[in-house]
Amino acid sequence: MIGVEGKCGKIVLFLSALLVVFAGILHHLENSETPAASLRRRMAHDMHALEEGYRQKNRSCFVLGASGETGRELLRELVRRRIFAKITLIGRRRLELEDGAQHSVVQEVVDFEKLDDYAAAFQGHDVGYCCLGTTKAKAGTEGFIRVDHDYVLKSAQLAKAGGCSHFNLESSQGADKTSGFLYLQVKGQVEADIEGLGFERYSIFRPAVLMVDRQESRPAEWVIRKFLSPISFFFPTALSIPIKFVARAMVVNTLIEKGEKVEILENKEIYNLGKNVEK
Ligand SMILES: NC(=O)c1ccc[n+]([C@@H]2O[C@H](COP(=O)([O-])OP(=O)(O)OC[C@H]3O[C@@H](n4cnc5c(N)ncnc54)[C@H](OP(=O)(O)O)[C@@H]3O)[C@@H](O)[C@H]2O)c1
């Protein structure tokens, strides 16, 4: 009897220690900030002036994946802030645009399997945003690699050839081309391959789990989001992020030009940029 109680006590002790370590890691992630992140956060304070200054440059942009959850939010931000003279959506289907978007938004429908035939769609944009992606569950392993790596890289190549100077990639927390996990490996590989193209400016966003009421049914993601909801209350930047913050951070970061050629924004920085900026 004593033996069983002793074992239970040890298990409880072990689990408590594990919980403390886990909370400690989350606490550390919450409270650390790189100098680059701190600079961006401070610069983002004067949004009005940043927007006005950028508007004067009369730039144009394209968005890949505007029909998806992040892309839709990003498009809303871009239309609302009016920082680009022209916004082109490049996708596999035509979208119903929300009110207010019709004037500044152009749509190019392309076949991603024959992107070379649509090089013209990628020409003449200063800035590109890529929120393209699928899942292994939806597309299978090959389909996932095709979309998240091949389509994304080919689009970046065509954009570079078409004169794009600033490419923004929505990647993922943990992206690493040496990872043993296919998802993280593919994300890391495409990040690296695009870096090799040598854009004047290349911004990589690595959000954690996107908190959003997804239109598409993805049961596994739904379970993860439900599990993360209480954790994100105490540790809002460690493992998840509201999708609005990602979209807002992508736009705000565009306005903050500080001469960095390649920049990687991890989840916490994305969160802080997206949260602290004027709506
Ligand atoms: N889910 C997460 O929690 C999470 C976390 C971190 C990073 N990310 C990454 O962030 C990015 C955006 O995620 P999201 O959830 O906002 O995306 P999403 O809602 O799944 O939308 C994906 C976009 O990619 C397009 N797309 C998918 N398959 C395609 C295909 N075969 N051909 C052409 N276009 C295709 C979709 O177009 P259609 O509308 O025409 O299908 C849509 O515009 C992805 O790269 C994802 O891996 C996701």
Side-chain angles (χ1 to χ4, degrees):
M1 200 55 193
I2 294 165
V4 172
E5 275 177 12
K7 269 186 190 163
C8 283
K10 276 184 188 164
I11 289 171
V12 170
L13 208 65
F14 174 72
L15 287 178
S16 309
L18 210 63
L19 203 67
V20 169
V21 171
F22 184 57
I25 292 171
L26 293 182
H27 185 265
H28 171 73
L29 288 172
E30 287 301 323
N31 292 297
S32 54
E33 186 172 53
T34 64
S38 155
L39 179 63
R40 269 192 211 96
R41 186 169 47 74
R42 281 182 275 122
M43 286 175 84
H45 268 305
D46 196 0
M47 270 304 280
H48 218 64
L50 284 174
E51 284 180 357
E52 197 44 50
Y54 200 87
R55 223 170 267 137
Q56 306 290 328
K57 295 177 182 166
N58 210 27
R59 291 193 176 152
S60 63
C61 74
F62 70 82
V63 180
L64 288 155
S67 57
E69 297 293 347
T70 316
R72 223 178 2 255
E73 273 305 321
L74 175 66
L75 179 59
R76 268 185 211 127
E77 280 289 323
L78 291 171
V79 168
R80 197 163 59 82
R81 294 189 185 273
R82 294 181 293 105
I83 54 169
F84 288 105
K86 185 177 142 195
I87 302 166
T88 302
L89 309 184
I90 303 177
R92 60 174 164 180
R93 60 197 171 88
R94 230 182 144 68
L95 306 182
E96 239 358 277
L97 294 177
E98 292 178 2
D99 286 349
Q102 289 87 351
H103 304 300
S104 52
V105 177
V106 172
Q107 299 201 51
E108 295 278 359
V109 177
V110 302
D111 179 349
F112 281 87
E113 283 297 315
K114 299 179 189 157
L115 270 181
D116 278 319
D117 296 352
Y118 298 88
F122 291 86
Q123 268 165 18
H125 309 289
D126 303 290
V127 180
Y129 297 96
C130 180
C131 306
L132 210 63
T134 187
T135 61
K136 211 171 93 174
K138 196 169 161 188
T141 300
E142 273 184 30
F144 167 67
I145 297 170
R146 193 108 191 98
V147 175
D148 285 59
H149 180 273
D150 302 354
Y151 290 178
V152 171
L153 178 59
K154 187 75 211 175
S155 300
Q157 285 166 339
L158 292 172
K160 177 81 181 19
C164 174
S165 54
H166 180 194
F167 194 81
N168 294 272
L169 175 69
E170 183 179 13
S171 178
S172 169
Q173 184 178 55
D176 176 0
K177 65 179 179 180
T178 65
S179 172
F181 292 101
L182 177 79
Y183 179 80
L184 299 178
Q185 191 263 319
V186 168
K187 294 294 186 190
Q189 190 62 55
V190 77
E191 282 185 2
D193 290 346
I194 294 177
E195 186 171 346
L197 299 178
F199 280 98
E200 261 172 55
R201 186 178 176 196
Y202 175 35
S203 311
I204 300 167
F205 295 82
R206 289 182 176 166
V209 173
L210 303 172
M211 299 304 254
V212 59
D213 285 328
R214 197 168 276 284
Q215 283 187 356
E216 185 190 328
S217 159
R218 288 187 191 168
E221 273 190 32
W222 183 86
V223 171
I224 292 170
R225 283 200 302 275
K226 289 290 160 208
F227 170 72
L228 288 179
S229 271
I231 295 181
S232 67
F233 181 77
F234 296 105
F235 304 104
T237 72
L239 300 171
S240 63
I241 186 162
I243 206 158
K244 275 186 197 307
F245 291 3
V246 180
R248 221 179 277 158
M250 288 177 96
V251 177
V252 177
N253 188 58
T254 305
L255 305 176
I256 305 170
E257 296 178 310
K258 47 184 190 56
E260 236 179 318
K261 194 170 161 64
V262 180
E263 50 188 357
I264 298 179
L265 287 87
E266 298 288 352
N267 192 58
K268 182 176 177 176
E269 189 173 353
I270 301 171
Y271 184 100
N272 287 335
L273 263 189
K275 183 178 181 215
N276 292 328
V277 92
E278 285 169 48
K279 295 199 178 118

